[in-house]
């Protein structure tokens, strides 16, 4: 299925150089064959006011599956874990270095994508970290968050979403593939 889901945009803080926020997330299905992408998560930072991007610092976008050693550990230490701790617990992360983007860049949107390959149904949480952000002009930036091939979504701040729905057609297909390989076909 090609389900596209978008979450409510989230306004980023303008008066702090370092912070973290939960952007919400998506439930993604499981692969039928090895290496199959079961979904894509996109986060776009959209400049909503005139002026250049902040000149220094970085935004780091992290994705976490709902396993105990990823999201489970982060939730336990949400307000006490360091930036490095959060990055180490992430399933995936990408850094947007503001010095590399440059103050002369006239794009209004910058972003990242994660292609997810997975053997089980999981919630995928997205967290945005800011570190060393210098923004004397207080540029208004929103985070837009989209999921492709998502089975469900949950909004920013929902740290414990309800159970993932299952895609029963994929369950049957995965069962057939596993049994065909078992019998040597």
């Amino acid at each position: 299925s090609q389900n596209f889901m978008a979450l409510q945009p989230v306004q980023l803080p303008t008066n702090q150089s370092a912070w973290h926020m939960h952007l919400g997330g998506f439930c993604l299905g499981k692969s039928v064959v090895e290496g199959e992408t079961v979904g894509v998560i996109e986060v776009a930072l959209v400049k909503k006011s005139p002026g250049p991007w902040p000149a220094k610092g970085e935004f780091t976008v992290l994705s976490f599956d709902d396993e105990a050693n990823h999201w489970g550990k982060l939730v336990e230490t949400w307000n006490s874990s360091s930036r490095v701790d959060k990055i180490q617990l992430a399933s995936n992360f990408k850094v947007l270095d503001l010095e590399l983007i440059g103050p002369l860049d006239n794009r209004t949107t910058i972003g990242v994508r994660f292609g997810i390959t997975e053997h089980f149904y999981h919630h995928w949480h997205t967290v945005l970290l800011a570190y060393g952000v210098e923004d004397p002009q207080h540029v208004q930036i929103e985070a837009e968050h989209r999921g492709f091939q998502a089975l469900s979504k949950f909004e920013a701040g929902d740290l414990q979403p309800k159970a993932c729905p299952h895609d029963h057609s994929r369950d049957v297909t995965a069962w057939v593939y596993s049994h065909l390989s078992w019998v040597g076909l």
Side-chain angles (χ1 to χ4, degrees):
S1 74
Q2 294 296 323
N3 297 337
F4 163 78
M5 296 184 182
L7 300 177
Q8 291 295 317
V10 176
Q11 181 71 39
L12 306 189
T14 58
N15 58 351
Q16 302 169 10
S17 65
W19 45 262
H20 64 278
M21 71 173 27
H22 181 256
L23 298 179
F26 303 93
C27 177
L28 299 176
K30 64 180 184 179
S31 61
V32 174
V33 295
E34 188 67 33
E36 175 188 17
T37 299
V38 296
V40 174
I41 297 169
E42 284 185 352
V43 175
L45 302 182
V46 182
K47 199 166 46 156
K48 294 294 190 177
S49 63
W53 288 96
K56 293 187 186 242
E58 61 188 40
F59 292 115
T60 304
V61 182
L62 304 98
S63 71
F64 298 83
D65 65 26
D66 58 8
E67 291 286 322
N69 62 331
H70 293 278
W71 184 248
K73 274 198 172 160
L74 180 64
V75 158
E76 291 173 4
T77 61
W78 179 252
N79 288 318
S80 60
S81 57
S82 71
R83 174 178 151 268
V84 172
D85 292 340
K86 287 174 176 63
I87 292 170
Q88 288 176 336
L89 291 172
S91 304
N92 303 292
F93 73 94
K94 293 188 179 177
V95 177
L96 296 167
D97 186 326
L98 295 169
E99 288 186 62
L100 296 177
I101 293 167
L104 300 177
D105 194 322
N106 61 5
R107 289 183 292 178
T108 57
T109 302
I110 55 175
V112 300
R113 303 182 99 184
F114 297 104
I116 305 296
T117 58
E118 184 55 66
H119 297 289
F120 301 97
Y121 293 98
H122 282 293
H123 288 115
W124 287 85
H125 293 263
T126 305
V127 172
L128 182 62
L129 303 178
Y131 181 73
V133 175
E134 292 183 14
D135 182 19
Q137 296 185 28
H138 301 293
V139 174
Q140 298 295 312
I141 302 171
E142 283 184 351
E144 295 180 355
H145 193 198
R146 297 178 286 272
F148 298 88
Q149 295 173 259
L151 301 173
S152 65
K153 67 181 182 177
F154 49 97
E155 297 292 339
D158 186 355
L159 304 182
Q160 299 291 335
K162 63 183 179 181
C164 278
H166 285 229
D167 180 344
H168 297 294
S169 65
R170 291 194 67 76
D171 291 342
V172 170
T173 304
W175 183 87
V176 169
Y177 271 99
S178 70
H179 282 75
L180 287 176
S181 65
W182 181 72
V183 297
L185 296 178

